[in-house]
Amino acid sequence: MKIGIVVFDGFDELDAIGPYEVFRNAGWATDLVTLEPQERVHGSHGLVIVPHAVLGEGYDLVVVPGGGWNDRGEQGAWAEAQRGDLPAALRALHERGARIASVCTGGMVLAAAGITAGRPSVTHHHAIDELRSSGAEVVDARVVDHDDLVTSGGVTSGIDMALWIVERELGPEAAAAVADEMEHDRRGEVYRPTPT
């Protein structure tokens, strides 16, 4: 399993770093990636990171964090959705078979890409109405697994989402071991309808 977690200026740090740590503890190759080459990326709370790579082919799973959706500023998930480049790249990767996941308002970037349309999905509670308006089937759950699309609610739900993916791929014992290593008590049920 090779995972790319997309970071952009204004991303919410825990949306990205929580899943990153889960996946790395599970033993998976995980990169923090940008859409275009970028030396530094600034998180919404002041963290500055050096990304590992540029988003492209070769990732089995691409995770999109949120951040700054309600600020409607020049950085963050809302700005990325408005620009359209990241949604277009995600749509193309998804169409070529990449599995896609989101944390918090990263789900709104997926909505801008058309990936959540007509599908069970969730996002941060402050953006639920917008997700519904985009055509997604909004589900009241912490994590929603619809096969090649996994979405999760606000911020800390990204850790539970990542642990669910570990459980789905490697089994409950592996997920429990990672959760124990991180001293994390998993919360909420995973909603997993049968894909059509």
Side-chain angles (χ1 to χ4, degrees), residues 82-102:
Q82 297 306 303
R83 276 192 280 280
D85 296 337
L86 179 56
L90 293 167
R91 182 172 48 254
L93 287 170
H94 186 248
E95 288 170 353
R96 290 195 292 275
R99 289 178 282 174
I100 305 286
S102 66

Side-chain angles (χ1 to χ4, degrees), residues 170-185:
L170 300 178
E173 297 82 10
V178 173
D180 182 62
E181 173 70 23
M182 296 176 68
E183 293 193 10
H184 177 74
D185 294 324

Side-chain angles (χ1 to χ4, degrees), residues 3-8 11-13 15-21 23-24 29-35 38 41 47-55 59 63 65:
I3 301 167
I5 300 176
V6 181
V7 290
F8 44 82
F11 79 98
D12 184 276
E13 290 89 339
D15 285 7
I17 303 305
Y20 176 85
E21 187 164 339
F23 295 141
R24 294 293 298 209
T30 306
D31 294 332
L32 298 172
V33 300
T34 54
L35 183 59
Q38 192 170 336
V41 179
L47 181 70
V48 180
I49 64 164
V50 176
H52 300 115
V54 173
L55 180 63
Y59 290 103
V63 179

Side-chain angles (χ1 to χ4, degrees), residues 100-111:
I100 305 286
S102 66
V103 181
C104 195
T105 55
M108 297 308 301
V109 178
L110 300 188

Side-chain angles (χ1 to χ4, degrees), residues 15 57 65 69 127 139 192:
D15 285 7
E57 302 293 334
W69 183 262
V139 176
R192 190 178 194 196

Side-chain angles (χ1 to χ4, degrees), residues 60-80:
D60 303 299
L61 174 68
V62 177
V63 179
V64 184
W69 183 262
N70 292 320
D71 298 341
R72 300 297 202 254
E74 294 181 9
Q75 296 182 339
W78 184 82
E80 294 299 326

